[in-house]
Amino acid sequence: MSANPRPADAQAIAQAAQRLAAGELVAFPTETVYGLGADAANARAVAEVYRLKGRPADHPLIVHVLDAAQAAWWAHWPARAQRLADTFWPGPLTLILLRRETAPAFACGGQASIGLRAPSHPVARALLVAFAAHGGHGVAAPSANRFGRVSPTRAAHVIDDLGDEAPMVLDGGPCDVGVESTIVDLSRERAVLLRPGGITAAQLEAALGEPLLARDAQAPRASGTLEAHYAPATPIELADGDEIDRRIAVLHARGERVALWARSGAGAQADARLSMPADPADAAHALYDALRALDRSGCARILVERVPDDTAWHAVADRLRRAAAGSSGAAGAQRANEA
Ligand code: TXA
Ligand code: MG
């Protein structure tokens, strides 16, 4: 068998497109995270993505398309979708739109709405172009990790996570953005922000010319919106910069080794330490890589410095909160006792 991951040269991309057309899976880079791709119009291929990820069947996937023209094959395309696509596509923005009756329901977990995104990564785009030449309309791709685990931002992460079951992985280097796309629901009367990402609410509102509602109980299901998601195996907890040293002392007194991701100079006593970039986009870029590295450090606990309460940090704050919520209940209860 050929080496995996494969450098994403023209030959590998052509082969990957052929595999997609044949109903096989291919993992590929996008500007946000690596995706686990399948022909979105092939029921068996889409079912295989769910099986491999271990993802519940009612959690819909995002369909990756080249542009608005391909998106309109899948969904009704209102003027405000066009406005957002004009401004942010190709790029890290997923639009939830009403599915066309002619588009297969299995592509979106049977929902009336479908998630669509035109990625900007040159390898993803080249793959979509090559797949379109085989008659493909779009590539369904969730993040290429097992359900509930940290999203892969490098080709090697995909192999680490999926092991022997990994399909062909196109290696396009580390992902630029580093956190999953911003998701905006345009399937209802008012536009709703379902998942914060690299594109901020303010940027979206400026392009839309209308305010964006926060997610509410009526929002369609999105696994990225479950509380316990994006969790490393090691329990993770958040602490303010001025709490870190005290918290490490408490954990050390209990005999626990501590891994730390922090911006401030605090936590010199940590057993493993990575510094968090001061810029929010840089921090997003580094986030999953840092969590994976700290997860492997052999420490009993990952401590992460809380990020500023500022919209520019929204995406990172959201992923960290969920990662902490995904930590073991016992650790959570212990934290509560010590608070
Ligand atoms: O950046 C990204 O979006 C990455 C790359 C690979 O493009 N993909 C990604 O996919 O994060 P995934 O499956 O891990 O997350 C997709 C999110 C899920 O939370 C899913 O439930 C939501 O999009 N979603 C998809 N279709 C939806 C729909 N019709 N209604 C509501 N949520 C939807
Ligand atoms: Mg995911």
Side-chain angles (χ1 to χ4, degrees), residues 10 88 134 166 179 189 212 220 232 257 259 261 272:
F88 301 109
H134 287 279
V179 293
E189 200 167 316
L212 205 53
R257 298 177 69 233
W261 198 42

Side-chain angles (χ1 to χ4, degrees), residues 213-224:
L213 298 190
R215 187 165 64 84
D216 61 27
Q218 278 96 58
R221 177 193 296 271
S223 70

Side-chain angles (χ1 to χ4, degrees), residues 30 32-35 55 60-62 64 94 96 113-115 117 141-143 180-181 183 195 220-224:
T30 81
T32 58
V33 301
Y34 275 73
R55 179 157 167 147
L61 308 176
I62 292 172
H64 296 68
T94 296
I96 307 294
S113 63
I114 185 164
R117 168 164 119 76
S143 50
E180 303 81 354
S181 60
I183 303 183
R195 180 171 74 182
R221 177 193 296 271
S223 70

Side-chain angles (χ1 to χ4, degrees), residues 72-240:
W73 189 86
W74 294 95
H76 297 283
W77 189 253
R80 49 190 189 170
Q82 187 65 48
R83 272 202 291 281
L84 289 184
D86 283 343
T87 314
F88 301 109
W89 276 11
L93 175 66
T94 296
L95 301 177
I96 307 294
L97 296 163
L98 287 173
R99 175 169 54 88
R100 278 194 192 284
E101 301 66 30
T102 47
F106 56 77
C108 54
Q111 309 212 35
S113 63
I114 185 164
L116 294 162
R117 168 164 119 76
S120 63
H121 194 292
V123 172
R125 296 196 65 73
L127 181 63
L128 288 167
V129 168
F131 183 54
H134 287 279
H137 296 288
V139 174
S143 50
N145 53 287
R146 306 243 190 229
F147 185 66
R149 304 307 300 275
V150 175
S151 293
T153 53
R154 295 173 184 273
H157 296 165
V158 180
I159 310 273
D160 288 349
D161 216 50
L162 300 181
D164 288 346
E165 286 201 293
M168 175 183 186
V169 181
L170 289 175
D171 188 347
C175 301
D176 263 0
V177 178
V179 293
E180 303 81 354
S181 60
T182 303
I183 303 183
V184 175
D185 183 2
L186 295 179
S187 72
R188 297 186 287 164
E189 200 167 316
R190 305 282 304 275
V192 181
L193 179 64
L194 291 186
R195 180 171 74 182
I199 297 171
T200 65
Q203 287 174 291
L204 291 162
E205 287 179 338
L208 269 175
E210 66 176 80
L212 205 53
L213 298 190
R215 187 165 64 84
D216 61 27
Q218 278 96 58
R221 177 193 296 271
S223 70
T225 64
L226 294 178
E227 277 308 309
H229 207 61
Y230 310 113
T234 312
I236 171 168
E237 64 178 74
L238 311 181
D240 290 330

Side-chain angles (χ1 to χ4, degrees), residues 255-326:
E256 291 191 16
R257 298 177 69 233
V258 183
L260 176 70
W261 198 42
R263 287 182 314 287
S264 61
Q269 301 306 316
D271 302 280
R273 192 180 199 288
L274 287 174
S275 40
M276 184 192 301
D279 175 78
D282 294 342
H285 175 78
L287 171 68
Y288 289 137
D289 223 17
L291 291 183
R292 276 174 192 269
L294 295 174
D295 201 14
R296 279 195 311 268
S297 68
C299 293
R301 195 70 69 114
I302 298 172
L303 202 56
V304 176
E305 181 176 349
R306 243 186 222 103
V307 301
D309 186 14
D310 175 319
T311 55
W313 284 90
H314 199 173
V316 173
D318 171 77
R319 302 314 188 278
L320 286 176
R321 192 169 47 74
R322 292 178 209 288

